[in-house]
Amino acid sequence: MLVIALGIGVLAVIVSALLGPKKASRTKLMAYESGNDPEHGGVGTGHRFPVHFYLVAMLFIVFDIETAFFFPLAVAYQKLVPFAFWEALTFVALLLVGYYYILKKGVVEWT
Amino acid sequence: MAPTAYYVALSGLLFAIGMIGVLTRRTAIMIFLSVELMLNAANLALVAFARSWGDLAGQTAVFIVMTLAAAEVAIGLAIIVAIFRKRETTNVDDLATLKG
Amino acid sequence: MLTAPDIALAPLLPILLVLAGAISSTVLGFHLPRRTLTYINLALLVLSGIAMGLLWSGPGEVPATAFGGGLQADNAAILLGLTIVVGSVMTLLVSLDTAYRARVSFPEFDAMLMYAITGTLLIAFSGDLIVMLIGLEVMSLASYVLATLQDSRRAEESGLKYFLLGSAGSAILIYGLALVYGATGSLSYAGIAEATAGLTPGNLGLLVGGALLLLAGFGFKVALAPFHQWTPDVYSGAPTSVSLFLSTVVKVAAFAGMLRVFGGALQNAPFWASALQILIAATLIIGNAASLFQTNFKRMLAYSAVAHTGFVAMTLLGTPGLGGAALGYYLLIYTLMTAAALAIVAALQRTEAGMEINDLRGLYYRHPGYAIALAVCLASLAGLPPFAGFFGKYLAFQAAFQNGYVWLSILAVLASVAALVYYLRPAMLMFMPDRTPAREYAHGQRPATNLTVALGVAGITVLGLLPNLWYGWVADPAIWELLAGR
Amino acid sequence: MPDWLAELLITLLKGVLVALALLTTFAYMTLIERRLLARMQIRYGPNRVGPGGLFQPLADAVKSIFKEDLRVTMADKLVYTMAPIVAIGMALTAFGGIPAGPAGSLFGEDPWVYQLDAGILALLAITSMGVYGIFLGGWASGSKYPILGGLRSSAQMISYELGMGLSILGLLMLVGSTAFVNIVEWQAANGWMLLFQSLGFALFLVSSFAETNRTPFDLPEAEQELVAGYLTEYSAIKWALFQMAEYVNMITASAIMATLFFGGYRGPVFLEGLIPGISGWPIIWLVVKIAFFLFLFIWVRATLPRFRYDQLMRFGWKLLLPLALANTMMTAAYLAFARGLGLWPLALLSLLGLLLLFAMSDRVRVLWNKPTGRRGADDSWPTRPLGGD
Amino acid sequence: MIHLMIFLPLLGALLLLVTPRTWREEVAGFVAALTLGLGLWLWRDGGAALYSAPWVPALGATYSVELAGPSLALALITALMTLVAVIYAARRIENPGTMLALVLAMESALLGIFAARDLVLFYVFFEAALLPSLLMLAIYGGPGRMRALVKFAAYTLLGSLLMLLSIIGVRYYGGSPTFALRDLVANPVEGTAQTWLYLGFLAAMAVKLPLWPLHAWLPDFHEQNHPSGVPDVMGTLYKVGGYGLFAFALPLFPDASLELRPILMALAAFTALYGAWIAFRQTNWKRLLAYAGLSHMGIVGLGIFSLNETATVGALYLLAFQNVYTGALFLGVGMLQERIGSVDTRVGGVMTQAGALSGLTMALWFASIAVPGLAGFIGEFSVLLGAYQVAPWLAFIAGLSTIAAAAYALTAFQTTFWQGRPLGSVRVADLRQTEWLVLGIPLAVALLFGVYSAPALNLIQPAVRGVLSALGGS
């Protein structure tokens, strides 16, 4: 499936590249910046974005892993009650500690 | 099913690539990525072994290692970003305030 | 059908208490001043120590375990755990006085410290490689943060270095773990120890490879040469109270892990000991030689920490009964003397870069108490009787010597002489009269630091005169022969 | 012809068929969406190309292919080209894992392209790969607006992915399996999951909207702020591929919701009375349910205004995430201690939770309207220790 | 009693830290005198019998002490010279609290060294004595002290750590339950292992003897110490190598001592001659005394290594009493330095203005160069006599050093005390108050034991006989 799906994408790009007109000009190929000349030099240079995005990314990583831990527990849950419940409760409680911390730190506040 | 040895060989290869990356790369991010590669090599080996022993402990270990990798990403990125914002470089050779 | 694992809370209690401190620091940090948090954490640490004491199993008693042997509250764990608690308490006390000046006086400092301690205790109490790994990483990750916490270039740089090399070390260690698992089919120490007896040649190769990788990984964590390069930079770049923590508690824990893995699980595995002795020899030479040329006192202590790693690691070469006892003794002594010395540096330094050795000149005439205490610490670090450092070294030599590593012992002797030379310089400079103005940060009351220093100095003196007070507890070889559990 | 080759060919055939079906659906989806939106806004939609505008998608496709494919000078060539391919690839791949009927129901073959034990997990994993397409596209453009747009949408998607993952935990606990077939069979035996996990469904629905970047979560394309977000520098077929990916994701999300909460490929049992065996007809039911959800997507787009970005993040982190956890724990507690009462009390509980949420909506709204944390609160941080030096 | 004698000075040192400044000299003097008194009392009782208690049971280390025979003699001399040093320090040094505390602490460690009958305990005392002497050098030393410190400490520690390994090895290979000397002797090590262990032991003792070529720390150490000479007295007392060899190495490694006898005797004889020769060329009193001490120690070493009864008795005798007159000479140099501000040997004419000082110094020098009738003679003569029976040529070489000693001592004495006082130089005061005691007591002791050696010989001889007979006699 993956092969087919990617194949379709590649095919489309190639076909278009073969069939489409090619009349590039400097202005046309300039990065969009509301009509001004772009300031920075392209990929990976000089662009600074709010550090906030990193924070969200880190949070995601941490919480996503936590979800990953929860899935096996959920699948096996009914075979392990009530032990699994206490286990889950402990887990969630610990999770909430971190959650409380990031809330208080204002990581999810976007000002 | 391919024998365990193939998986282990593959994981060894990944590990070696990661190791070489750690030793030769000079930007923090690349070193860090190499480390992640090494961790995944370990994961592959663990899964392969767990399968060949028919034992669940190895699989559990993989879970733990994944978590560790994630936590390392979180912390490592934080440190790298902090440094990058201050000096606009993550090349470890440029970090020479403390003599090697 | 799945079965629920056995959860015994009693052996977990010491760890849970520390974890409670960590969590409360995380949560209450928004509401309480940091100083209060530190007091809470100190109380919890003491409680944890008491809990460990209660877990002590007398002769004939079976140590408590949890998670089917994954967690072993045996006497070895308790002794190492107590050492960790001592080091942690000293760190917290010092941070009471110096954290604000070091610009790390956040609740996060306490929280991270406590998380790291949780990790260290997990290592000491571990009964299988997974628990050990979790502990090791919890400790390492928290330590990376601690090293970076101060908002300064030096700290950030040391943190990055620590992180990159530390995580590379972890990765190597984990791969070694995978190989050992592949060779033996078990992750618990007992299982590995059992399986190492009869292995096919193919698996033996895996085991040797795994053991060597584990050794390299631990080498990173305890700073054995040639994996030590991060140590001086990190110790001298991090705020001093953090360096104190890293060079005592973290190192103790890493050694606890090494003891568990090599002295317990891989006790009968071939070849690692030969590799280890080469690493130790390199560590002794490099650590001591490099210390000779340092001009900064804190950095010199950092290199001396590397050198001491070599001495401590010698104990691992001994038979478990003798070597474990030596390790148990040495680690406590090492903690006491290093912590006390760094506490003095933290109290007197003007900047977090520590003080130059030449700045110590005439300290005796300005701060006689600190000077004498520091001299005692340095003498102990150098291994001069009647201070406890001597017995530590003695036991390390004995452990290695009696297991046949005579040439290594002789090398260690030569290294000790070099060590004496670089400890002697600052120690003697302090007593040389000096007319230039003081170079220390002279202000402020430092009751907590003074308490720490007093604790450390009293400890190394009393344990030097009456080593049996501690050695009597650790000396029982039965404790250390059961490292792998049953 | 050996067995494995036959197997392979059949799988390939199925894959191609699914892909083509999805692309066709996408094409007509655009048309239907435009027509419906127009209807809701009391105007005509596209109605020139073909009868009733029926050939409009065809014309669009031709145009996309024959347009000039620009690549701005500052872009990273490889990644710039790869990004849309990754996006569409992942989107198409994801759908293949959804069963359209029980095993062997499609002319003796299985009505799915691939089937993994990890079913829903694998699907979530693959759909979240789509973030790469968007982020890399934005990054590789080498221009300001695309980067910001890419970042924003990545941040949004990963934030809501958590809610999505957590909201199905209760379901997994009930079923005890992650394979789609098992989930569907469980629902056939016990009734639609919607009943027992209405709260979970609501959360999942909201997350799905956010994951597919649909209104009211279509910030990445908020033209007032970011021009066209990560799409700014894209044109022609690459642009079309991104669009395609978005719509295919929508279809996949609909299919997942249908499968997880609405009985999947099985029809309602009460219809058995009219035509025996109707609930077992393959494919039909799934398609019907998907169509329903697609309509819902369009409907919502016509109805709701867009979130502000800070509101969006707060909504995800402060409402969705804790609620999903609460739902999980509620289900867990029920299963642990009151399993003997049967499942209906759980349905009631869940519904109660949902209703409570609606009833409290005014109270809850502050959560995402007002900042409560102390972001950068400089007043007391870092805390100065009392006393000391 | 014996414990009190060992630890009383240490207690005194600690007491000094809390004593008001004006009373420190008196307290220190009292403690030193009390210690000596205790020692004499012990002597009267015929020494303290072996006392043994477990110290670190798990390790096999015991607290075993005994003061009898040579060790009692050395302990008495130590107590005596400490008292003398304290008396002089109290007069000479401004605000001497720290110095006195260090001297007393060092006395404790030295007494411990002589009393210890357990190898670990011995090692602990042996190293513990290092600390006060290092501190004295650091606090009161001259401009080049850092170098001297490093040399001194490095040499000492190198030797003693090798000894530590030997200590570990002796117990391990011999299989003894504890480190107590008695147990170790009962479980001897055999074969080549013994030789290696002996070499390890020898390393420490050769540094502390000192034996060429491990003597390089000695002159620097003395040169850089405080000019008063008080630390030098303690340093002289710290040259315990001869005693360590006799008390531990001979009983533990009999075969090895026999095997290495020729080499070691040759080294010792060479040391004696070499020390004397170098001393001859010195123009600094302290360096001269250091080399003179080295030369004496060569003779001590010759006696010990010869394994001959007469020689060994003589060596211990010499070891004990050379402390007295060498120490006193250091103090005499200190007095000279106080008066003329230099320790150069060519000041000239001191005799004309300070007759008593010069006279007492000369008397002490006679003791040092083994003029009959003074204590040095008995020791040196016995050693040479005994050594002659074992190795005539080596005895002859060592004997040359006594002649050389006369030469260097008299030359230096002459250039300093006789000749004309240079024009315009400061007037030199004669002995005052306690200075009489400081030089007089040692001289009296040297004279007494030079004439009537029986009490000391009675202490030393039985022990030597015991040790050597265990060796199988020779």
Side-chain angles (χ1 to χ4, degrees):
Chain A
M1 188 70 209
L2 187 68
V3 177
I4 298 167
L6 289 176
I8 288 174
V10 173
L11 199 70
V13 171
I14 292 175
V15 167
S16 162
L18 291 177
L19 297 183
K22 289 168 192 66
K23 278 176 283 185
S25 69
R26 209 184 74 82
T27 328
K28 220 194 248 178
L29 294 182
M30 201 180 269
Y32 177 81
E33 206 156 307
S34 309
N36 300 323
D37 280 356
E39 264 184 21
H40 288 297
V43 172
T45 53
H47 290 287
R48 299 189 125 197
F49 3 98
V51 78
H52 226 91
F53 286 111
Y54 290 104
L55 291 180
V56 172
M58 284 169 209
L59 279 189
F60 167 72
I61 292 166
V62 172
F63 276 85
D64 202 37
I65 288 292
E66 161 265 314
T67 321
F69 269 94
F70 233 130
F71 274 112
L73 181 73
V75 171
Y77 187 77
Q78 295 210 31
K79 300 173 193 155
L80 276 172
V81 286
F83 162 75
F85 175 72
W86 300 115
E87 189 76 30
L89 198 66
T90 318
F91 188 73
V92 170
L94 285 175
L95 194 67
L96 286 180
V97 171
Y99 182 72
Y100 178 80
Y101 179 78
I102 60 159
L103 274 193
K104 283 299 239 179
K105 273 282 167 204
V107 175
V108 300
E109 295 303 338
W110 220 275
T111 49
Chain B
M1 217 42 219
T4 314
Y6 289 177
Y7 288 103
V8 177
L10 177 63
S11 87
L13 192 68
L14 284 176
F15 184 75
I17 294 172
M19 196 76 208
I20 292 168
V22 168
L23 294 177
T24 57
R25 291 304 186 134
R26 297 268 50 102
T27 53
I29 295 270
M30 291 308 291
I31 295 177
F32 182 51
L33 286 180
S34 305
V35 168
E36 294 292 310
L37 193 61
M38 288 158 80
L39 286 178
N40 284 324
N43 276 348
L44 181 59
L46 275 172
V47 171
F49 287 134
R51 204 181 161 80
S52 82
W53 285 104
D55 179 38
L56 268 179
Q59 316 261 19
T60 330
V62 171
F63 248 84
I64 305 286
V65 175
M66 272 165 48
T67 319
L68 300 183
E72 264 179 15
V73 168
I75 283 170
L77 275 184
I79 295 175
I80 292 173
V81 167
I83 289 202
F84 183 76
R85 290 176 76 78
K86 215 166 251 180
R87 10 186 140 174
E88 306 229 338
T89 176
T90 56
N91 190 321
V92 288
D93 291 335
D94 295 343
L95 306 178
T97 309
L98 307 165
K99 49 199 166 182
Chain C
M1 193 60 201
L2 299 163
T3 47
D6 63 321
I7 307 281
L9 279 183
L12 269 173
L13 192 61
I15 302 174
L16 288 183
L17 281 169
V18 178
L19 184 65
I23 290 173
S24 68
S25 300
T26 313
V27 176
L28 298 179
F30 295 102
H31 311 289
L32 295 175
R34 193 189 81 90
R35 196 157 267 261
T36 316
L37 293 180
T38 310
Y39 290 139
I40 294 175
N41 288 334
L42 279 171
L44 283 169
L45 277 175
V46 171
L47 279 179
S48 169
I50 294 171
M52 280 183 224
L54 293 178
L55 282 172
W56 181 266
S57 46
E61 289 178 47
V62 179
T65 61
F67 303 120
L71 204 80
Q72 300 266 352
D74 52 10
N75 288 353
I78 290 165
L79 291 168
L80 294 167
L82 284 173
T83 307
I84 288 170
V85 167
V86 168
S88 312
V89 166
M90 290 172 91
T91 311
L92 275 176
L93 282 174
V94 170
S95 80
L96 271 179
D97 285 342
T98 60
Y100 184 70
R101 212 142 55 76
R103 286 174 289 134
V104 289
S105 187
F106 316 120
E108 285 83 354
F109 179 83
D110 277 53
M112 281 300 150
L113 206 62
M114 294 301 275
Y115 281 121
I117 298 167
T118 312
T120 57
L121 286 181
L122 268 179
I123 300 176
F125 280 68
S126 65
D128 65 27
L129 285 171
I130 296 284
V131 175
M132 193 274 299
L133 182 64
I134 296 173
L136 194 72
E137 286 299 313
V138 169
M139 170 191 92
S140 302
L141 291 171
S143 310
Y144 302 150
V145 178
L146 278 175
T148 326
L149 203 55
Q150 188 194 46
D151 183 22
S152 74
R153 286 190 159 214
R154 293 174 56 84
E156 279 165 5
E157 200 172 306
S158 83
L160 182 65
K161 241 169 212 172
Y162 191 19
F163 169 73
L164 286 179
L165 287 165
S167 56
S170 299
I172 293 173
L173 192 144
I174 291 168
Y175 200 75
L177 183 153
L179 290 189
V180 168
Y181 174 66
T184 59
S186 172
L187 280 167
S188 79
Y189 297 149
I192 294 172
E194 200 175 311
T196 45
L199 282 181
T200 60
N203 279 347
L204 197 65
L206 274 183
L207 184 71
V208 168
L212 288 185
L213 285 173
L214 276 174
L215 188 63
F218 273 117
F220 270 107
K221 298 287 171 195
V222 300
L224 275 175
F227 311 112
H228 71 288
Q229 274 107 344
W230 58 272
T231 324
D233 285 351
V234 172
Y235 288 2
S236 61
T240 305
S241 41
V242 175
S243 316
L244 194 164
F245 182 74
L246 294 182
S247 56
T248 56
V249 178
V250 168
K251 189 168 278 191
V252 169
F255 268 112
M258 266 185 114
L259 182 70
R260 287 270 183 198
V261 172
F262 291 105
L266 297 174
Q267 194 181 333
N268 299 318
F271 205 65
W272 62 264
S274 322
L276 180 60
Q277 65 170 328
I278 293 169
L279 294 190
I280 292 173
T283 310
L284 288 172
I285 294 171
I286 294 173
N288 285 300
S291 310
L292 278 174
F293 300 107
Q294 301 306 319
T295 55
N296 181 298
F297 187 56
K298 192 171 153 192
R299 205 173 160 80
M300 189 212 89
L301 284 178
Y303 269 111
S304 101
V306 176
H308 270 274
T309 302
F311 291 120
V312 180
M314 281 173 75
T315 61
L316 293 172
L317 290 174
T319 54
L322 206 61
L327 186 75
Y329 184 79
Y330 203 143
L331 284 179
L332 180 72
I333 302 308
Y334 172 77
T335 302
L336 287 173
M337 57 199 187
T338 311
L342 279 169
I344 294 171
V345 174
L348 294 181
Q349 67 190 356
R350 284 220 157 147
T351 69
E352 285 303 315
M355 42 215 319
E356 295 298 309
I357 290 179
N358 284 330
D359 291 351
L360 288 170
R361 182 180 273 270
L363 185 69
Y364 176 64
Y365 305 95
R366 301 190 291 267
H367 297 276
Y370 281 140
I372 290 173
L374 190 53
V376 168
C377 293
L378 289 171
S380 181
L381 281 167
L384 290 181
F387 302 110
F390 157 69
F391 275 101
K393 255 184 196 167
Y394 167 82
L395 290 167
F397 290 172
Q398 190 185 37
F401 187 91
Q402 297 200 357
N403 216 8
Y405 298 92
V406 177
W407 71 270
L408 190 65
S409 314
I410 294 176
L411 181 74
V413 162
L414 297 178
S416 300
V417 176
L420 177 77
V421 172
Y422 60 78
Y423 289 123
L424 194 70
R425 252 178 67 77
M428 291 299 132
L429 270 177
M430 288 189 300
F431 293 95
M432 298 191 178
D434 179 34
R435 290 196 180 73
T436 52
R439 301 173 186 87
E440 298 89 35
Y441 183 85
H443 312 289
Q445 298 290 310
R446 310 186 188 89
T449 307
N450 294 345
L451 180 61
T452 314
V453 173
L455 196 71
V457 169
I460 52 188
T461 313
V462 170
L463 290 180
L465 295 173
L466 302 168
N468 224 33
L469 288 183
W470 178 244
Y471 192 71
W473 292 100
V474 297
D476 183 7
I479 295 176
W480 310 97
E481 276 151 10
L482 281 178
L483 278 176
R486 279 147 307 272
Chain D
M1 197 155 57
D3 270 0
W4 64 268
L5 191 58
E7 191 83 355
L8 183 72
L9 284 181
I10 290 172
T11 310
L12 275 178
L13 185 68
K14 282 191 292 192
V16 172
L17 279 177
V18 166
L20 289 180
L22 281 172
L23 293 184
T24 317
T25 319
F26 149 70
Y28 278 89
M29 183 66 193
T30 54
L31 177 66
I32 293 167
E33 179 168 23
R34 288 160 82 181
R35 297 283 298 191
L36 272 177
L37 282 178
R39 189 58 50 87
M40 289 174 186
Q41 291 160 358
I42 322 182
R43 61 179 169 89
Y44 299 108
N47 57 3
R48 295 292 151 140
V49 190
L54 265 181
F55 293 147
Q56 181 69 38
L58 205 61
D60 285 347
V62 170
K63 190 191 83 167
S64 303
I65 291 174
F66 283 96
K67 262 185 84 168
E68 181 178 3
D69 190 8
L70 289 179
R71 197 182 60 220
V72 287
T73 38
M74 290 174 187
D76 182 305
K77 278 181 205 166
L78 181 67
V79 180
Y80 181 78
T81 315
M82 284 291 294
I85 298 176
V86 168
I88 185 70
M90 291 307 153
L92 289 177
T93 309
F95 195 88
I98 295 174
S105 64
L106 186 75
F107 311 115
E109 296 295 334
D110 298 337
W112 54 72
V113 184
Y114 61 93
Q115 174 79 351
L116 301 173
D117 283 345
I120 175 71
L121 285 183
L123 212 75
L124 284 179
I126 293 171
T127 47
S128 52
M129 289 280 282
V131 179
Y132 280 106
I134 290 173
F135 177 73
L136 290 179
W139 175 79
S141 298
S143 170
K144 282 198 186 96
Y145 293 102
I147 286 194
L148 285 175
L151 276 173
R152 264 193 175 197
S153 70
S154 319
Q156 168 188 338
M157 288 175 79
I158 59 180
S159 299
Y160 281 84
E161 198 169 305
L162 296 178
M164 198 170 197
L166 284 175
S167 60
I168 60 166
L169 281 177
L171 179 153
L172 291 181
M173 283 180 184
L174 283 170
V175 179
S177 164
T178 51
F180 283 112
V181 179
N182 293 347
I183 295 175
V184 173
E185 293 308 324
W186 188 90
Q187 293 184 72
N190 295 301
W192 285 4
M193 191 59 82
L194 174 69
L195 294 170
F196 312 111
Q197 287 288 313
S198 48
L199 185 54
F201 169 68
L203 299 171
F204 193 85
L205 186 72
V206 174
S207 307
S208 303
F209 274 82
E211 280 291 281
T212 49
N213 289 336
R214 292 291 296 190
T215 337
F217 301 99
D218 58 345
L219 296 225
E221 296 149 39
E223 58 272 12
Q224 295 90 335
E225 304 165 27
L226 288 171
V227 192
Y230 61 93
L231 287 171
T232 305
E233 302 291 0
Y234 278 97
S235 58
I237 193 70
K238 289 182 191 137
W239 181 86
L241 286 178
F242 271 123
Q243 288 298 322
M244 227 185 265
E246 182 178 329
Y247 277 84
V248 172
N249 273 336
M250 231 159 77
I251 299 166
T252 311
S254 306
I256 294 176
M257 281 189 280
T259 307
L260 292 185
F261 293 97
F262 282 76
Y265 50 75
R266 283 191 181 274
V269 187
F270 62 84
L271 290 180
E272 294 273 333
L274 297 175
I275 308 165
I278 190 174
S279 69
W281 292 357
I283 302 184
I284 298 293
W285 285 112
L286 188 65
V287 171
V288 168
K289 286 167 187 171
I290 290 176
F292 166 71
F293 279 108
L294 288 179
F295 174 73
L296 193 67
F297 272 106
I298 297 166
W299 190 14
V300 168
R301 178 171 176 187
T303 314
L304 290 181
R306 187 183 287 151
F307 267 119
R308 219 170 51 219
Y309 196 67
D310 59 325
Q311 290 175 327
L312 172 110
M313 291 310 269
R314 260 182 245 137
F315 183 83
W317 284 100
K318 284 160 85 174
L319 184 70
L320 212 61
L321 192 70
L323 269 184
L325 265 181
N327 176 49
T328 308
M329 288 319 289
M330 184 184 79
T331 314
Y334 183 84
L335 286 179
F337 301 111
R339 185 71 180 83
L341 301 179
L343 285 172
W344 292 105
L346 178 63
L348 215 61
L349 267 176
S350 191
L351 194 63
L352 211 63
L354 191 60
L355 291 178
L356 202 67
L357 193 63
F358 280 130
M360 304 274 286
S361 58
D362 280 347
R363 300 277 174 77
V364 169
R365 192 169 291 140
V366 286
L367 276 183
W368 69 85
N369 272 338
K370 279 191 194 153
T372 48
R374 317 189 287 177
R375 164 123 175 82
D378 304 308
D379 47 353
S380 59
W381 185 81
T383 335
R384 193 187 194 292
L386 301 174
D389 43 28
Chain E
M1 191 75 176
I2 173 171
H3 316 306
L4 189 61
M5 178 169 173
I6 296 173
F7 292 108
L8 180 68
L10 185 65
L11 289 177
L14 294 177
L15 190 64
L16 277 187
L17 295 179
V18 293
T19 316
R21 189 164 280 188
T22 44
W23 291 97
R24 285 186 184 159
E25 293 88 337
E26 285 79 356
V27 170
F30 177 70
V31 168
L34 198 59
T35 312
L36 179 61
L38 279 172
L40 291 171
W41 193 351
L42 277 179
W43 190 17
R44 201 201 63 181
D45 291 354
L50 180 66
Y51 171 87
S52 189
W55 179 28
V56 194
L59 211 61
T62 61
Y63 174 76
S64 304
V65 285
E66 182 184 19
L67 273 177
S71 52
L72 179 59
L74 284 161
L76 283 171
I77 295 293
T78 303
L80 172 77
M81 287 315 290
T82 308
L83 178 62
V84 170
V86 165
I87 292 172
Y88 185 56
R91 201 201 76 74
R92 169 72 199 272
I93 294 165
E94 207 179 319
N95 187 17
T98 315
M99 170 74 95
L100 292 173
L102 291 172
V103 165
L104 287 178
M106 182 132 181
E107 182 189 5
S108 237
L110 290 170
L111 291 175
I113 291 177
F114 297 129
R117 288 293 179 273
D118 177 280
L119 278 182
V120 173
L121 189 66
F122 172 72
Y123 183 87
V124 168
F125 280 124
F126 189 75
E127 293 285 293
L130 184 63
L131 289 173
S133 64
L134 284 176
L135 282 175
M136 275 190 266
L137 183 52
I139 300 177
Y140 296 99
R145 56 192 146 175
M146 189 49 94
R147 203 179 132 74
L149 271 170
V150 169
K151 248 187 185 177
F152 175 43
Y155 271 96
T156 308
L157 202 71
L158 174 66
S160 53
L161 281 172
L162 287 174
M163 175 170 81
L164 183 63
L165 282 188
S166 288
I167 291 175
I168 295 172
V170 166
R171 170 165 172 240
Y172 180 61
Y173 292 125
S176 158
T178 69
F179 283 106
L181 189 60
R182 206 171 34 180
D183 292 337
L184 289 173
V185 171
N187 300 284
V189 184
E190 305 292 349
T192 47
Q194 200 191 75
T195 312
W196 286 109
L197 295 174
Y198 181 56
L199 283 178
F201 219 88
L202 194 68
M205 294 310 160
V207 169
K208 271 280 168 291
L209 191 59
L211 201 64
W212 185 88
L214 295 175
H215 69 284
W217 57 273
L218 184 69
D220 285 355
F221 172 78
H222 283 302
E223 185 184 4
Q224 295 297 334
N225 253 321
H226 189 258
S228 71
V230 172
D232 298 298
V233 174
M234 305 314 289
T236 309
L237 289 167
Y238 193 17
K239 290 191 282 190
V240 295
Y243 169 76
L245 282 170
F246 167 76
F248 294 100
L250 297 190
L252 286 176
F253 314 106
D255 305 341
S257 349
L258 217 55
E259 189 183 337
L260 295 175
R261 176 163 73 176
I263 305 170
L264 293 176
M265 278 182 75
L267 268 182
F270 178 74
T271 307
L273 193 61
Y274 170 85
W277 172 246
I278 303 285
F280 190 64
R281 305 161 60 106
Q282 297 304 316
T283 58
N284 176 314
W285 268 109
K286 285 208 162 180
R287 287 187 83 88
L288 189 148
L289 279 171
Y291 281 111
L294 178 63
S295 175
H296 287 142
M297 287 300 151
I299 293 175
V300 170
L302 186 72
I304 304 263
F305 292 134
S306 70
L307 307 181
N308 173 289
E309 189 188 323
T310 321
T312 310
V313 170
L316 288 173
Y317 200 87
L318 182 60
L319 180 69
F321 290 102
Q322 73 90 26
N323 283 330
V324 176
Y325 48 75
T326 311
L329 277 172
F330 270 116
L331 296 178
V333 169
M335 293 171 193
L336 191 67
Q337 192 273 344
E338 186 190 8
R339 287 163 171 79
I340 57 179
S342 125
V343 289
D344 197 77
T345 53
R346 299 172 186 208
V347 289
V350 177
M351 184 71 110
T352 55
Q353 288 159 358
L357 174 62
S358 310
L360 286 178
T361 308
M362 187 162 73
L364 285 165
W365 265 121
F366 284 149
S368 173
I369 61 178
V371 167
L374 289 162
F377 171 74
I378 298 179
E380 290 200 18
F381 183 74
S382 314
V383 169
L384 292 176
L385 189 66
Y388 183 78
Q389 296 165 14
V390 179
W393 280 104
L394 292 176
F396 176 70
I397 294 175
L400 286 180
S401 76
T402 56
I403 300 165
Y408 65 72
L410 292 177
T411 318
F413 190 82
Q414 188 216 1
T415 52
T416 307
F417 290 90
W418 289 332
Q419 297 180 339
R421 190 85 183 106
L423 288 173
S425 52
V426 204
R427 185 171 167 75
V428 180
D430 208 342
L431 292 185
R432 284 175 299 221
Q433 311 155 16
T434 50
E435 284 178 351
W436 285 99
L437 280 177
V438 169
L439 294 185
I441 296 175
L443 183 62
V445 170
L447 199 59
L448 176 65
F449 286 91
V451 181
Y452 179 55
S453 58
L457 283 179
N458 286 344
L459 277 178
I460 295 170
Q461 218 153 17
V464 172
R465 222 167 259 158
V467 168
L468 291 182
S469 68
L471 241 64
S474 80

